[in-house]
């Protein structure tokens, strides 16, 4: 069994290498605190006696700390659980420090999770009034969207009507009303605009027309 | 019109490649994201259940995490595809496919209102059997019902996608990856019943490279897949004509000498007086029928065999030009000249480079195919190499989804249209 004082020294050494300063706590309490890089760090220390139940409660406790915005770590004896089990904890953004005969070692740092976890926890722990405020805001948005929907369907009906009207006007002969022309010109302008935003493999691709003709009655 | 606008905004491409799964929505621009096509099945435990990390399978970047932790790879790491095919009864493989699909779509789930799922265009190997289409549609169905990520989906063959990405409406696509080679004539749509497949790909070039390494005294390295592949990509050469190239090498040994330095080690691989064998590697991909390969087969290098997967025969030793001709001759006669004039090569197994001092002796893949076709008496052949071949399948998916009308429903008879899951 590794002596607690040795373990404590190894941990403080490791953390100071990461640029962190000891803040308080003790091995007897089983919790040590550090600060640095703009974060508070909590390390829960487990010894060989506890076994798996201890690990589970430490994981849950650490999850709460992490949710409060602290950087939570668990210091565990190397053989307390299988690597896959430890990874289940690691995937929650809780750091794992393993100790054994070769000293102290951190499980692989996460690729992307830290960023993600931060946003999750900050969302979770906003206070209730803030949440209600947001719900109200969302309700106002929903109402706005409903209004827009109504407008869109009115616009669509008007467009259809306009189409029919201009067809009839055309039937009167070659005299096209001037505003019909501008409407047509506007449209082609628009599609030219969207074309410039298209990726290179789409531009002037003859397949666009071939595929657009597909349908139950064609092809 | 409404539907059409919605669809265009939410087109999502998914290329189910054997080694890499490439994916992303239309807003991704020129290139998709790529992730290795594999999944890790972690050991189940109370702990992982309590932590809510009891996913049966982990995919994407998290897999690396498990690998670094010294996980048991042999039983827990699953590569779901072999030569573009997922076996029907391989439950774990299908779980990986489903999880990867979810992973990819979730990564791009839009924030805010009005999102009713993506219009997904998936691309599968040209030789994928019908059950793969059915299973993939089932996966999209659950992505629609369980997580709201899919609105509609369609599935197209990879060679069609390559043709679309390269703006070629009539052509023969020859796609050669790590495991096999598919040839698909296309004329405004894949020509039915004309697909030809070869049971040969980059891994076979690795096999002969391994034999060559043994002969040159590197027998201890011949078993290391990844290394052999690197050596092949660096030292392998594609000769214009094998016999003259070998005579050239034997009379100009200095010209063909080359060294491969293994990165991060002191190891240098040098074929010395065997340097002429560099030509065998590329030649073998295009034509394994030269008598010189017999001696390699005799001492145990596996000879590519004709095999049948579903209805498709994968030819073992048919040369590439013969395969193109076989495919084209399955098409209507009046189309054949047009098809020969538009041959499109794609896939990593065609990326042979020509060293400056071996110009004329070595060629690139397009020149090689053209020469082989001429030898067989086919004139007016035009061969092109796909640019950025690793992305063309995804690009074709995006164009396809953008253009095919949202109101066109999937037809099993035509194998096209949208399967709608949003009700
Ligand atoms: N410069 C090169 N010279 C020779 N062979 C190469 C070169 N670069 C890549 N390759 C070979 O191409 C093969 C990989 O091609 P590709 O990426 O198309 O395979 P794939 O299995 O189809 O991948 P995916 O299925 O993920 O699309 C490998 O065998 C690789 O060694
Ligand atoms: Mg491929």
């Amino acid at each position: 069994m590794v002596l607690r004082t040795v373990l404590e020294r190894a941990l403080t050494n490791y953390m100071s290498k990461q640029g962190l300063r000891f803040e308080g706590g003790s091995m007897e309490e089983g919790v040590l605190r550090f600060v640095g890089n703009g974060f508070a760090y909590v390390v829960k220390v487990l010894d060989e006696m506890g076994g798996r139940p201890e690990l589970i409660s430490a994981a849950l406790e650490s999850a709460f700390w992490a949710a409060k915005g602290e950087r939570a770590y668990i210091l565990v004896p190397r053989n307390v659980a299988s690597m896959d089990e430890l990874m289940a904890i690691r995937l929650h953004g809780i750091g794992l420090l393993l100790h054994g005969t070769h000293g102290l070692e951190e499980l692989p740092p996460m690729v992307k999770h830290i960023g993600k976890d931060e946003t999750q926890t900050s969302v979770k722990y906003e206070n209730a009034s803030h949440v209600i405020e947001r719900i109200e805001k969302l309700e106002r948005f929903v109402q706005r969207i409903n209004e827009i929907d109504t407008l869109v369907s009115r616009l669509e009906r008007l467009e259809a009507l306009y189409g029919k009207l201009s067809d009839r006007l055309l039937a009167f002969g070659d005299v096209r009303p001037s505003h019909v022309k501008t409407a047509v010109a506007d449209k082609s302008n628009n599609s030219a605009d969207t074309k410039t935003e298209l990726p290179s493999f789409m531009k002037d691709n003859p397949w666009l027309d071939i595929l657009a003709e597909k349908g139950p009655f064609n092809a | 019109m409404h539907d059409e606008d919605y669809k265009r905004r939410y087109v999502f491409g998914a290329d189910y490649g054997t080694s890499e799964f490439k994916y992303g929505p239309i807003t991704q621009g020129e290139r998709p994201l790529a992730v290795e096509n594999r999944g890790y099945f972690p050991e189940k435990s109370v702990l992982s259940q309590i932590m809510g990390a009891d996913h049966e399978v982990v995919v994407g970047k998290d897999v690396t995490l498990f690998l670094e932790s010294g996980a048991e790879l042999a039983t827990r790491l699953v590569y779901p595809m072999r030569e573009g095919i997922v076996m029907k009864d391989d439950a774990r493989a299908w779980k990986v496919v489903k999880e990867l699909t979810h992973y990819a779509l979730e990564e791009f789930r839009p924030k805010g209102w009005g999102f009713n799922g993506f219009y997904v265009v998936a691309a599968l190997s040209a030789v994928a059997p019908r059950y793969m289409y059915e299973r993939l549609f089932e996966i999209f169905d659950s992505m629609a019902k369980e997580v709201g990520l899919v609105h509609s989906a369609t599935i197209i063959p990879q060679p069609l996608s390559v043709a679309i990405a390269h703006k070629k409406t009539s052509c023969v696509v020859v796609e050669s990856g790590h495991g096999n080679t598919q040839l698909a004539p296309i004329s405004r749509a894949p020509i039915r019943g004309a697909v030809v497949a070869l049971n040969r790909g980059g891994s076979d070039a690795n096999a002969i490279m391994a034999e060559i390494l043994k002969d040159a005294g590197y027998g201890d390295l011949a078993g290391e897949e990844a290394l052999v592949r690197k050596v092949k990509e660096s030292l392998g050469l594609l000769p214009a004509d094998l016999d003259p190239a070998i005579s050239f090498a034997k009379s100009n040994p200095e010209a063909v000498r080359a060294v491969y330095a293994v990165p991060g080690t002191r190891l240098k691989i040098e074929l010395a007086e065997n340097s002429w064998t560099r030509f065998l590697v590329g030649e073998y991909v295009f034509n394994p029928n030269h008598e010189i390969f017999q001696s390699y087969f005799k001492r145990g290098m596996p000879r590519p065999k004709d095999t049948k997967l579903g209805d498709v025969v994968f030819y073992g030793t048919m040369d590439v030009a013969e395969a193109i001709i076989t495919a084209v001759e399955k098409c209507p006669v009046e189309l054949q000249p047009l098809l020969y004039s538009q041959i499109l090569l794609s896939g990593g197994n065609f990326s042979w480079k020509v060293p400056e001092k071996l110009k004329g002796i070595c060629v690139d893949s397009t020149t090689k195919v053209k020469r082989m076709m001429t030898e067989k008496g086919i004139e007016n052949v035009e061969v092109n190499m796909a640019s950025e071949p690793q992305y063309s399948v995804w690009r074709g998916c995006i164009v396809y989804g953008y253009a095919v009308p949202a109101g066109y429903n999937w037809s099993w008879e035509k194998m096209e249209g949208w399967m709608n899951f949003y009700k």
Side-chain angles (χ1 to χ4, degrees):
Chain A
M1 182 157 160
V2 189
L3 273 172
R4 294 210 148 211
T5 45
V6 177
L7 199 53
E8 181 168 355
R9 197 167 338 116
L11 177 63
T12 335
N13 266 340
Y14 180 82
M15 294 308 249
S16 71
K17 267 196 217 130
Q18 320 293 314
L20 307 176
R21 186 159 45 79
F22 180 67
E23 260 286 285
S26 71
M27 280 296 182
E28 282 65 47
E29 301 163 36
V31 175
L32 293 171
R33 294 180 175 275
F34 297 83
V35 288
N37 312 330
F39 282 97
Y41 291 74
V42 197
V43 185
K44 174 86 189 167
V45 185
L46 294 190
D47 59 29
E48 269 131 288
M49 323 287 267
R52 197 154 307 203
E54 274 289 307
L55 177 61
I56 292 175
S57 54
L60 293 174
E61 204 177 342
S62 302
F64 278 107
W65 285 325
K68 279 195 286 184
E70 292 178 307
R71 292 272 161 97
Y73 279 88
I74 309 179
L75 177 61
V76 285
R78 184 167 290 279
N79 294 321
V80 75
S82 77
M83 214 32 108
D84 282 3
E85 287 183 297
L86 293 176
M87 292 308 291
I89 299 176
R90 190 71 190 84
L91 286 172
H92 277 260
I94 299 166
L96 283 167
L97 298 162
L98 307 184
H99 67 81
T101 39
H102 299 296
L104 205 142
E105 182 196 359
E106 189 172 351
L107 262 195
M110 293 233 265
V111 190
K112 234 172 103 178
H113 286 267
I114 291 176
K116 269 196 200 153
D117 288 349
E118 274 167 8
T119 56
Q120 277 170 7
T121 51
S122 66
V123 172
K124 252 188 244 160
Y125 282 83
E126 273 160 350
N127 57 34
S129 70
H130 196 153
V131 173
I132 291 171
E133 217 172 85
R134 292 183 64 170
I135 292 177
E136 283 169 354
K137 208 167 158 190
L138 288 176
E139 280 172 346
R140 285 198 297 276
F141 274 133
V142 175
Q143 184 161 4
R144 273 288 189 61
I145 286 168
N146 285 336
E147 287 167 12
I148 292 174
D149 269 348
T150 330
L151 282 174
V152 168
S153 74
R154 286 182 61 189
L155 193 64
E156 278 172 354
R157 284 204 308 274
L158 283 170
E159 272 176 352
L161 201 61
Y162 178 86
K164 274 188 210 151
L165 279 173
S166 61
D167 282 353
R168 284 201 199 167
L169 279 174
L170 285 174
F172 280 114
D174 279 341
V175 242
R176 270 170 80 105
S178 57
H179 57 276
V180 173
K181 262 189 213 153
T182 44
V184 171
D186 269 5
K187 220 182 156 192
S188 63
N189 250 342
N190 257 342
S191 65
D193 274 353
T194 47
K195 252 191 187 160
T196 55
E197 291 163 19
L198 291 179
S200 64
F201 55 87
M202 283 239 202
K203 272 182 223 148
D204 304 316
N205 193 326
W207 282 96
L208 287 173
D209 288 333
I210 296 176
L211 296 169
E213 281 164 19
K214 295 231 179 257
F217 311 112
N218 297 308
Chain B
M1 211 53 222
H2 223 103
D3 286 355
E4 208 48 36
D5 284 343
Y6 177 88
K7 183 206 70 185
R8 289 184 171 186
R9 189 169 330 158
Y10 293 118
V11 175
F12 193 102
D15 170 17
Y16 292 82
T18 309
S19 52
E20 280 186 333
F21 175 55
K22 292 143 207 139
Y23 63 95
I26 185 164
T27 47
Q28 191 63 20
E30 299 285 334
R31 281 181 197 91
L33 299 187
V35 60
E36 284 189 76
N37 192 352
R38 62 184 186 183
Y40 181 80
F41 290 76
E43 156 195 351
K44 266 196 187 331
S45 74
V46 184
L47 190 104
S48 53
Q49 276 168 30
I50 291 176
M51 294 306 292
D54 59 340
H55 283 295
E56 203 187 342
V57 52
V58 178
V59 298
K61 296 197 185 77
D62 288 344
V63 173
T64 341
L65 235 61
F66 281 95
L67 302 191
E68 282 171 27
S69 72
E72 293 166 50
L73 303 189
T75 53
R76 301 188 177 278
L77 188 63
V78 172
Y79 289 82
M81 286 188 174
R82 236 192 59 230
E83 323 216 335
I85 309 276
V86 183
M87 288 326 226
K88 200 172 191 166
D89 305 320
D90 192 345
R92 293 218 297 182
W94 283 105
K95 277 177 187 154
V96 174
V97 175
K98 179 171 179 183
E99 194 64 27
L100 268 173
T101 307
H102 187 188
Y103 172 93
L105 293 166
E106 194 68 70
E107 190 165 347
F108 288 100
R109 186 197 286 275
K111 295 189 185 70
W113 296 88
F115 176 66
N116 299 321
F118 288 108
Y119 272 76
V120 180
V121 182
L124 291 179
S125 157
V127 294
R130 176 167 162 142
Y131 70 79
M132 281 187 71
Y133 282 68
E134 290 166 351
R135 295 292 281 271
L136 206 51
F137 277 134
E138 279 168 27
I139 288 175
F140 291 134
D141 188 30
S142 57
M143 291 296 112
K145 305 231 156 67
E146 291 162 21
V147 283
L149 281 166
V150 173
H151 181 294
S152 298
T154 187
I155 304 173
I156 61 177
Q158 285 158 346
L160 171 64
S161 218
V162 172
I164 294 175
H166 287 87
K167 309 180 184 177
K168 298 238 183 279
T169 54
S170 294
C171 60
V172 183
V173 175
V174 188
E175 156 82 30
S176 192
H178 191 62
N180 67 30
T181 304
Q182 317 156 36
L183 298 94
I186 285 166
S187 175
R188 295 171 68 91
I191 297 173
R192 272 195 209 206
V195 169
V196 170
L198 301 181
N199 188 14
R200 249 180 20 249
S203 62
D204 297 274
N206 292 1
I208 193 159
M209 190 70 236
E211 294 302 321
I212 291 170
L213 283 175
K214 282 183 205 161
D215 291 343
Y218 297 98
D220 51 328
L221 303 177
E224 295 191 29
E225 272 285 343
L227 177 68
V228 172
R229 173 171 165 166
K230 286 280 173 240
V231 177
K232 171 196 77 174
E233 291 171 12
S234 153
L235 297 186
L237 293 173
L238 177 61
D241 268 308
L242 186 57
D243 290 328
I246 292 175
S247 339
F248 171 85
K250 290 193 169 158
S251 47
N252 301 277
E254 279 316 306
V256 290
R257 262 193 136 85
V259 177
Y260 176 71
V262 184
T265 70
R266 297 193 310 167
L267 197 62
K268 290 198 166 48
I269 294 174
E270 136 98 274
L271 299 179
E273 69 274 21
N274 291 337
S275 291
W276 63 273
T277 55
R278 294 172 67 195
F279 292 120
L280 298 181
V281 184
E283 180 72 15
Y284 189 63
V285 166
F286 288 79
N287 181 14
N289 298 308
H290 195 285
E291 55 173 20
I292 202 163
F293 298 118
Q294 290 304 327
S295 66
Y296 290 91
F297 295 138
K298 276 207 195 95
R299 59 167 136 127
M301 180 174 80
R303 182 198 297 268
K305 287 198 186 64
D306 289 1
T307 53
K308 219 174 159 192
L309 246 170
D311 306 332
V312 188
V313 180
F314 285 71
Y315 297 99
T317 50
M318 184 188 276
D319 74 61
V320 169
E322 195 60 42
I324 293 174
I325 294 169
T326 309
V328 170
E329 289 187 346
K330 292 182 178 190
C331 303
V333 177
E334 72 271 19
L335 264 181
Q336 295 182 6
L338 184 60
L339 293 173
Y340 284 129
S341 69
Q342 301 278 355
I343 296 169
L344 182 58
L345 307 183
S346 155
N349 195 29
F350 285 134
S351 326
W352 303 95
K353 291 183 287 271
V354 183
E356 195 56 41
K357 57 181 178 180
L358 291 176
K359 264 194 177 156
I361 306 288
C362 289
V363 288
D364 62 10
S365 296
T366 57
T367 316
K368 180 75 175 177
V369 170
K370 213 185 267 177
R371 290 181 71 104
M372 290 173 74
M373 297 295 288
T374 314
E375 268 168 35
K376 293 190 192 269
I378 311 271
E379 305 290 332
N380 296 323
V381 174
E382 179 69 43
V383 189
N384 288 295
M385 181 72 201
S387 55
E388 301 197 279
Q390 63 277 42
Y391 305 133
S392 23
V393 175
W394 174 81
R395 290 174 177 170
C397 289
I398 295 294
V399 177
Y400 190 91
Y402 185 86
V404 172
Y408 179 28
N409 288 327
W410 175 262
S411 140
W412 279 108
E413 193 214 323
K414 289 188 176 158
M415 299 290 269
E416 58 181 33
W418 294 104
M419 187 82 93
N420 186 328
F421 301 106
Y422 180 73
K423 280 286 159 350

